Amino acid sequence: MIRPILKYGDNPLHEPALSVEAFTSDVDRIIGDLVDTMYAAPGIGLAAPQVGIPLRIFVIDLSLGHDPNGLLVMVNPEFVEREGMQLEDEGCLSVPGFNATVARPARAIVKGWNREGQEQIIEGNGLLARCFQHEIDHLDGTLFVDRLRGLQKDLIVRKIKKLSRSGKW
Ligand SMILES: [Zn+2]
């Protein structure tokens, strides 16, 4: 089921999410909804808080569904290792219409559980490392806008507030 995607300013987007305690049918349904919603958007990643569910789950598919093995489901993810730094333009389905250059690790190893509840350890370089950091940030209540500084951040926040006031956000 495709769920509406929350936008900057909505809760629980700005609050830390809770760990998944058990692989229930509810959790499986949430994962299915995340996948459907990500592909429909379309986007290359989506975290549960973005659809209003405060649980530590995200999905990523850099192929946008074109590669049958492209889907990655991560439950209760944790960083095992992070190194290096990359500066690339980044956006977010919860901040539509805005992009900014964000500093991210060049390489990241993440440990978590897959949809079946089995442990998996996945190494990401480049775009995948960036996605790992972006999605785990979502689980901690952080959006890419929160990682910006100074004028760049003020400008985006001001524009969002203006859109909100006029009912266009
Ligand atoms: Zn995002």
Side-chain angles (χ1 to χ4, degrees), residues 96-127:
F98 294 94
N99 286 74
T101 302
V102 188
R104 298 292 192 187
R107 177 173 167 266
I109 300 176
V110 173
K111 182 175 87 172
W113 284 266
N114 66 13
R115 192 171 181 166
E116 286 71 44
Q118 294 150 340
E119 191 179 86
Q120 58 182 355
I121 296 175
I122 297 182
E123 176 176 343
N125 290 283
L127 183 58

Side-chain angles (χ1 to χ4, degrees), residues 50 91-93 134-135 138:
Q50 290 183 274
C92 177
L93 292 171
H134 181 111
E135 300 310 332
H138 272 305

Side-chain angles (χ1 to χ4, degrees), residues 63-163:
S63 82
L64 290 165
H66 297 300
D67 175 355
N69 300 314
L71 179 64
L72 182 64
V73 174
M74 269 284 182
V75 178
N76 296 341
E78 284 171 38
F79 286 111
V80 176
E81 217 176 292
R82 270 179 290 186
E83 61 174 27
M85 202 262 275
Q86 55 170 318
L87 280 170
E88 295 291 340
D89 207 38
E90 191 168 313
C92 177
L93 292 171
S94 294
V95 195
F98 294 94
N99 286 74
T101 302
V102 188
R104 298 292 192 187
R107 177 173 167 266
I109 300 176
V110 173
K111 182 175 87 172
W113 284 266
N114 66 13
R115 192 171 181 166
E116 286 71 44
Q118 294 150 340
E119 191 179 86
Q120 58 182 355
I121 296 175
I122 297 182
E123 176 176 343
N125 290 283
L127 183 58
L128 186 55
R130 163 171 299 278
C131 285
F132 279 157
Q133 184 69 64
H134 181 111
E135 300 310 332
I136 290 178
D137 271 1
H138 272 305
L139 306 183
D140 294 329
T142 301
L143 276 73
F144 82 87
V145 178
D146 302 319
R147 290 210 175 254
L148 305 176
R149 294 283 169 264
L151 199 63
Q152 205 184 16
K153 180 177 182 171
D154 294 345
L155 203 70
I156 294 182
V157 171
R158 226 173 24 238
K159 282 182 180 166
I160 291 173
K161 281 186 180 153
K162 204 173 155 191
L163 287 168

Side-chain angles (χ1 to χ4, degrees), residues 27-81:
V27 167
D28 192 68
R29 194 157 43 238
I30 289 165
I31 291 169
D33 289 355
L34 281 173
V35 173
D36 292 348
T37 307
M38 172 177 72
Y39 287 147
I44 57 171
L46 191 68
Q50 290 183 274
V51 295
I53 297 162
L55 287 176
R56 301 187 76 83
I57 306 170
F58 70 70
V59 296
I60 287 176
D61 188 344
L62 300 184
S63 82
L64 290 165
H66 297 300
D67 175 355
N69 300 314
L71 179 64
L72 182 64
V73 174
M74 269 284 182
V75 178
N76 296 341
E78 284 171 38
F79 286 111
V80 176
E81 217 176 292

